[in-house]
Amino acid sequence: MTRLWLAAGLAVTLSACAQQYPHAVQPSGFAASSGSTNSAGAARWAPGYDVSGFYRPAIEIDNASWRIDHVFVGMPEEFDAWRAQGSEPYAVPLWIEFHATDGPARTNAQGREAGRETAGERTRVHAQSFTLAPGRFAFRGANGTIGEVVLSGRIDAHTPGRRGRATDDPAALRADTSIGNERVGEIVFVQIPGE
């Protein structure tokens, strides 16, 4: 029942974005590759809309033996290149990365994450449908390891104080979330600068 409500919410969000942002695009390769002919298989984003970066959950979110590490959103030119190259779901510059909570730990050696210890095994769930437009964020994807992942909510990245500075409300992304067959509820993500 929860999955039905989340699916309905995602469909409403996608429909609202299509009406509010008529210049958003729906690459035919993406819709066809997703196996869906309705709006749930659509890729909609406002051209030039930049909320690129990494979004990390404000608290640790686990599902079985997997934990959300981050949501990645590419730059506008990455979305344009993706569309020009055929819009294949495996190449969309929008994904959620998970890491195993029960595997052997490893320590990152480079970048902003240097010294941070995480589990060794990682997996990504790429978007099979999404909306990315001012204030709106919707994501649906699945893989054989995690199952279906659905996020639907609001993105407010690049607001003054969001990058690298504490604010009263540091959330850059808030999304009602389900992972596999489990509704997680609202997750708050903070934006972190790219490496």
Side-chain angles (χ1 to χ4, degrees):
M1 183 68 164
T2 301
R3 293 180 77 195
L4 180 62
W5 283 107
L6 284 171
L10 181 62
V12 168
T13 300
L14 289 170
S15 176
C17 278
Q19 293 169 5
Q20 188 172 359
Y21 305 104
H23 57 285
V25 297
Q26 180 174 337
S28 59
F30 187 69
S33 296
S34 72
S36 174
T37 57
N38 62 28
S39 63
R44 301 185 190 282
W45 73 94
Y49 182 56
D50 186 4
V51 288
S52 59
F54 295 86
Y55 298 81
R56 190 172 307 279
I59 61 170
E60 292 182 344
I61 304 296
D62 294 348
N63 179 54
S65 58
W66 295 91
R67 176 174 294 150
I68 295 177
D69 187 76
H70 66 269
V71 173
F72 171 79
V73 180
M75 295 182 291
E77 52 269 23
E78 291 176 287
F79 281 94
D80 293 341
W82 168 72
R83 182 174 143 215
Q85 294 170 3
S87 309
E88 294 297 330
Y90 66 85
V92 66
L94 174 62
W95 64 74
I96 301 174
E97 186 161 309
F98 291 80
H99 66 262
T101 58
D102 57 1
R106 68 176 179 86
T107 303
N108 289 333
Q110 300 178 10
R112 284 185 50 82
E113 301 293 307
R116 181 170 179 246
E117 192 171 278
T118 61
E121 189 176 358
R122 291 180 176 262
T123 187
R124 287 182 179 169
V125 177
H126 282 267
Q128 294 169 335
S129 64
F130 67 90
T131 296
L132 193 59
R136 298 183 185 272
F137 181 88
F139 175 103
R140 179 184 296 274
N143 74 16
T145 304
I146 303 294
E148 186 177 55
V149 179
V150 178
L151 282 79
S152 180
R154 182 167 182 77
I155 193 163
D156 291 312
H158 297 232
T159 300
R162 295 288 188 229
R163 286 186 179 257
R165 293 190 300 264
T167 65
D168 289 340
D169 180 11
L173 170 61
R174 291 178 180 273
D176 194 37
T177 305
S178 68
I179 303 170
N181 293 322
E182 178 184 348
R183 182 178 181 273
V184 178
E186 185 180 73
I187 298 179
V188 173
F189 294 84
V190 293
Q191 189 175 17
I192 59 173
E195 296 181 2

